[in-house]
Amino acid sequence: MREDTRTRIQEIALRLFTEQGYEATSLREIAEELGVTKAALYYHFRTKDDIIASLVEMRMTELEELLTWFRSRPNTLQTRRELLERYAETLKRSRYLDVAKFLERNQTAMRDHPQLTRMRETMMTLTREMSDPGATPTERISRSMALFALHAGKWLTLETELSDEEIDKATMEVAMRLLEP
Amino acid sequence: MREDTRTRIQEIALRLFTEQGYEATSLREIAEELGVTKAALYYHFRTKDDIIASLVEMRMTELEELLTWFRSRPNTLQTRRELLERYAETLKRSRYLDVAKFLERNQTAMRDHPQLTRMRETMMTLTREMSDPGATPTERISRSMALFALHAGKWLTLETELSDEEIDKATMEVAMRLLEP
DNA sequence: GTCTATACGAGGATAGAC
DNA sequence: GTCTATCCTCGTATAGAC
């Protein structure tokens, strides 16, 4: 059974946007790969922006759910460790990893997008609340970086000697260490 | 005494590119802020790309010098610690920090730039050579992340309770810890 | 409902006048 | 060293075929 056009547009667009850049990818390219004219895209999406807006929305909703879950639990080392595990899980689902990659690589292109502002705030809140009130600056920064470390691990896939699984496992160990005092 | 036009174009362009994005910033905007027409920019630079190419070149040359220096020294913990100090020093000079920020935020826009490829390779080589041949995956990833941590620290300036100096100091401590076994 | 044909203003870029 | 005229492609929009 054939996917619907709308979903195919999103898939092609996300791939091209991530590979070539959001602004460097024209609607004509997307339309050609789909086998239609670019005007046809405007039947399915109001603007170029709308093509990825729903995908970004998915990723953001997930982050907000993660924050809600975190706040519902006692702020212990155990909870923080579980937060890292859950965050890493979201990055394993290819759809979210693709969106995360897109967002990393197209920061300025999405600059004044309201969704991006919300997401930045969610990430900020998450990292901030991981710290105890009386923590030292080093402890605060260290814990904040634990989440970033999970992303950084995905950039290091060029370390040819290591397999993806080894990198994922080692990245998690490094991130966990950043939670320790 | 007035700066020459060429330098002013670079300064205006780097600021606008970093704030708004490379592709989102038009030559007309730069020209207007400078008080000329966009066609006039083509006297000073062959393409839009060339406007920042020389700035990126500076940053890249510096990274390559850092790699050369690192290779000239015994690969000890002491040398790796000094590498972090030197790397952080480059990020303190505003010109390089601005270029680094621009590169972080406009990755896909610079995608097929030969300079970018060279820089990625230099960073990769640097992080790879920081590892001993017999190191565990966790040690390798941890050391590789030490350099990224210095950048990540610059993203955390929104941690309102901490001053820039506190963040810099704490970031360095976290990065140094990532070098330890 | 789904698409094609066509047009508009703005973008980067070039050639050439002054 | 600065500008005009010009070109092609871009995102966007609408009218209308099927």
Side-chain angles (χ1 to χ4, degrees), chain B residues 65-78:
Chain B
E65 283 171 3
L66 216 52
L67 177 59
T68 303
W69 170 85
F70 182 73
R71 284 176 159 167
S72 75
R73 310 266 294 177
N75 194 342
T76 62
L77 177 59
Q78 174 56 32

Side-chain angles (χ1 to χ4, degrees), chain A:
Chain A
M1 193 190 115
R2 191 176 143 287
E3 284 175 298
D4 61 29
T5 306
R6 194 185 155 84
T7 306
R8 288 185 60 218
I9 293 174
Q10 286 179 325
E11 283 169 358
I12 293 171
L14 182 58
R15 179 169 51 76
L16 292 178
F17 289 163
T18 307
E19 282 171 10
Q20 314 179 354
Y22 177 71
E23 323 225 25
T25 303
S26 66
L27 294 180
R28 187 186 46 73
E29 280 180 277
I30 299 170
E32 269 177 12
E33 191 154 332
L34 199 72
V36 297
T37 66
K38 67 172 181 164
L41 302 180
Y42 278 89
Y43 172 74
H44 298 280
F45 296 96
R46 271 182 43 259
T47 63
K48 182 183 184 182
D49 211 276
D50 274 18
I51 298 177
I52 45 152
S54 59
L55 294 169
V56 174
E57 181 70 28
M58 283 167 45
R59 171 77 185 148
M60 211 200 45
T61 301
E62 189 168 67
L63 285 181
E64 286 177 341
E65 282 171 3
L66 216 52
L67 177 59
T68 304
W69 170 85
F70 183 73
R71 284 176 161 168
S72 76
R73 309 267 294 177
N75 193 340
T76 62
L77 177 59
Q78 175 57 30
T79 302
R80 294 190 289 272
R81 292 173 72 94
E82 200 175 333
L83 176 69
L84 287 196
E85 303 271 18
R86 285 172 181 246
Y87 194 90
E89 271 306 311
T90 71
L91 290 181
K92 271 184 188 152
R93 268 168 285 168
S94 72
R95 176 159 224 159
Y96 293 132
L97 179 57
D98 288 345
V99 177
K101 273 186 188 168
F102 163 77
L103 289 168
E104 283 168 20
R105 297 181 191 175
N106 294 276
Q107 291 180 55
T108 49
M110 301 289 290
R111 174 183 51 107
D112 45 8
H113 217 288
Q115 289 178 327
L116 241 260
T117 310
R118 265 175 69 200
M119 206 163 82
R120 239 189 308 268
E121 280 167 7
T122 304
M123 284 298 288
M124 281 260 311
T125 308
L126 206 48
T127 57
R128 198 181 329 112
E129 296 195 4
M130 283 173 81
S131 285
D132 302 310
T136 65
T138 305
E139 280 168 350
R140 301 180 92 86
I141 298 288
S142 187
R143 288 193 191 169
S144 297
M145 280 192 191
L147 279 177
F148 288 114
L150 297 180
H151 283 272
K154 298 292 180 188
W155 305 336
L156 296 172
T157 44
L158 306 143
E159 271 275 358
T160 43
E161 300 108 359
L162 301 178
S163 69
D164 282 1
E165 291 73 26
E166 282 177 314
I167 291 178
D168 281 352
K169 189 164 169 290
T171 300
M172 182 55 82
E173 280 180 34
V174 172
M176 287 291 182
R177 263 187 54 196
L178 287 167
L179 293 182
E180 309 283 346

Side-chain angles (χ1 to χ4, degrees), chain B residues 159-175:
Chain B
E159 271 275 359
T160 44
E161 301 107 358
L162 300 178
S163 68
D164 282 0
E165 290 74 24
E166 282 177 313
I167 291 178
D168 281 352
K169 188 163 170 291
T171 299
M172 182 55 82
E173 279 179 34
V174 173

